[in-house]
Amino acid sequence: MHRSIKIALLLLFPLMLAARTAGAEISITVSGDWFETIDENDLQSGPGTDLESSYTSVSGQVTIDISGTDGTEDAWRVDLRKVDSNWNDDLQPYACRTSDGSGGSVSGGASFQQVTDMDTSFFSGTGDVSGIKVQLRLNNVSIQIPPASYSVVLYYTVVDLP
């Protein structure tokens, strides 16, 4: 019997603009996507066994740029959440920041954290920063999950801090 689970993680966004008091706008630009096809080739030890339980993208699968700040001391935070379109709740997406990018400064988010339906702080920084790299992971994959094409959108939102 041929069983196939197809999982697509799609994330292509310039997302939210946060209004600034001085009339300028801080903005976030996110680029990258990840499509993972999971099939019989991913069985741990051939027919009758379970699938590998975790799949991880390459280190810089997603790139984030923060711009429009008022300078190197202007603080911001990036929040992350998921929106399901066709998803199985047993599947668990994770994200991890793998580089600081260039310009400004960045901290936090350097270990994998689960992405939920609620906005959660991912990492923070100051000033304009370009080329922040993010890696994605999908956990809890199992042969018990019905075969289908699953997709989820990850939303990255920049929040201007006082």
Side-chain angles (χ1 to χ4, degrees):
M1 179 170 118
H2 173 72
R3 287 192 54 142
S4 176
I5 294 178
K6 294 183 180 177
I7 297 172
L9 299 177
L10 174 64
L11 16 119
L12 294 170
F13 328 100
L15 277 193
M16 180 179 172
L17 299 176
R20 308 259 313 150
T21 56
E25 291 182 340
I26 188 170
S27 65
I28 185 171
T29 303
V30 180
S31 59
D33 54 28
W34 183 33
F35 297 93
E36 187 73 39
T37 299
I38 300 170
D39 59 22
E40 69 277 359
N41 297 316
D42 295 290
L43 292 170
Q44 291 175 357
S45 298
T49 63
D50 205 351
L51 294 164
E52 297 294 329
S53 63
S54 180
Y55 295 83
T56 305
S57 75
V58 298
S59 179
Q61 193 70 45
V62 174
T63 302
I64 297 175
D65 299 327
I66 305 293
S67 60
T69 66
D70 282 336
T72 59
E73 300 301 315
D74 191 4
W76 46 264
R77 180 184 74 235
V78 171
D79 290 347
L80 179 58
R81 68 181 166 96
K82 71 179 178 70
V83 174
D84 309 336
S85 55
N86 178 33
W87 194 247
N88 184 297
D89 288 334
D90 291 333
L91 297 170
Q92 301 168 343
Y94 284 74
C96 173
R97 183 180 58 80
T98 57
S99 82
D100 294 339
S102 59
S105 68
V106 179
S107 63
S111 59
F112 278 102
Q113 68 182 57
Q114 187 172 358
V115 183
T116 67
D117 297 335
M118 305 275 298
D119 276 320
T120 305
S121 177
F122 184 29
F123 61 87
S124 59
T126 59
D128 290 0
V129 183
S130 62
I132 302 166
K133 302 295 184 188
V134 173
Q135 186 173 30
L136 303 172
R137 176 177 290 163
L138 182 63
N139 283 358
N140 210 33
V141 178
S142 170
I143 196 92
Q144 302 304 315
I145 296 172
S149 289
Y150 295 101
S151 63
V152 65
V153 177
L154 304 184
Y155 284 90
Y156 299 81
T157 304
V158 65
V159 178
D160 194 10
L161 300 176

